[in-house]
Amino acid sequence: MSSQFPVSNPGPYQPPGQGGFQPPPPASHPLKIPAIILIVLSSLWLLYGIVNFIYSMMTGMPPNLGNQGNAAAQQLGFYAAIIMLPIINLGVLLGSIMMLKRKAYPLAMAGAFLALVPICGPCFVLGIPFGIWCLVLLFQADVKNSFS
């Protein structure tokens, strides 16, 4: 009762070592998970910053800031914050991409440090633990040596 067609795939129900399920390879690099999380957080916050900037330019200063103290100083601070939010998150995004690609170590460090800024960092305080995680990993010698 032998078949004339050889079986090239024995199927998943074979004993170990003869095909079937293969365990997934270990994670490629320790920076992969925190870098991806920072990319997602900074992308969301960058999108929010851009939408907020466009909305602010179209509508002007919010009404609750216009009636207090020095209006010119408040307006300058308001627009400086609106402009800095996307710039800082763009730095976190570029640094996280460099972490993932393991290129430009100084830019990866700068992105991790910028993620620690609680007001302008990605999603306020959500970026802080992942920025710390990235910094701890970036200071390790083997991770530092993996950058080209």
Side-chain angles (χ1 to χ4, degrees):
M1 295 237 135
S2 85
S3 171
Q4 64 185 16
F5 301 108
V7 177
S8 61
N9 185 3
Y13 302 109
Q14 298 297 322
Q18 297 180 354
F21 177 74
Q22 297 294 326
S28 60
H29 202 268
L31 277 172
K32 185 175 185 178
I33 293 171
I36 289 173
I37 292 171
L38 277 181
I39 287 172
V40 170
L41 290 176
S42 62
S43 297
L44 289 173
W45 210 238
L46 180 65
L47 181 64
Y48 167 75
I50 291 170
V51 169
N52 196 12
F53 177 77
I54 292 170
Y55 177 77
S56 299
M57 291 300 141
M58 290 174 56
T59 61
M61 196 169 179
N64 61 349
L65 293 178
N67 299 330
Q68 301 172 1
N70 189 351
Q74 289 178 357
Q75 200 170 22
L76 178 66
F78 173 74
Y79 286 121
I82 292 295
I83 291 170
M84 291 304 294
L85 180 68
I87 292 172
I88 289 175
N89 282 288
L90 186 63
V92 175
L93 180 65
L94 292 176
S96 301
I97 290 171
M98 291 301 121
M99 280 183 231
L100 201 56
K101 292 182 176 183
R102 289 188 305 277
K103 295 182 180 180
Y105 182 78
L107 187 59
M109 288 289 288
F113 275 116
L114 285 175
L116 298 178
V117 178
I119 295 173
C120 296
C123 296
F124 287 118
V125 296
L126 288 179
I128 294 174
F130 298 107
I132 292 171
W133 187 4
C134 288
L135 282 176
V136 167
L137 292 174
L138 285 169
F139 280 119
Q140 292 178 355
D142 58 335
V143 174
K144 191 182 222 182
N145 293 334
S146 70
F147 279 78
S148 57

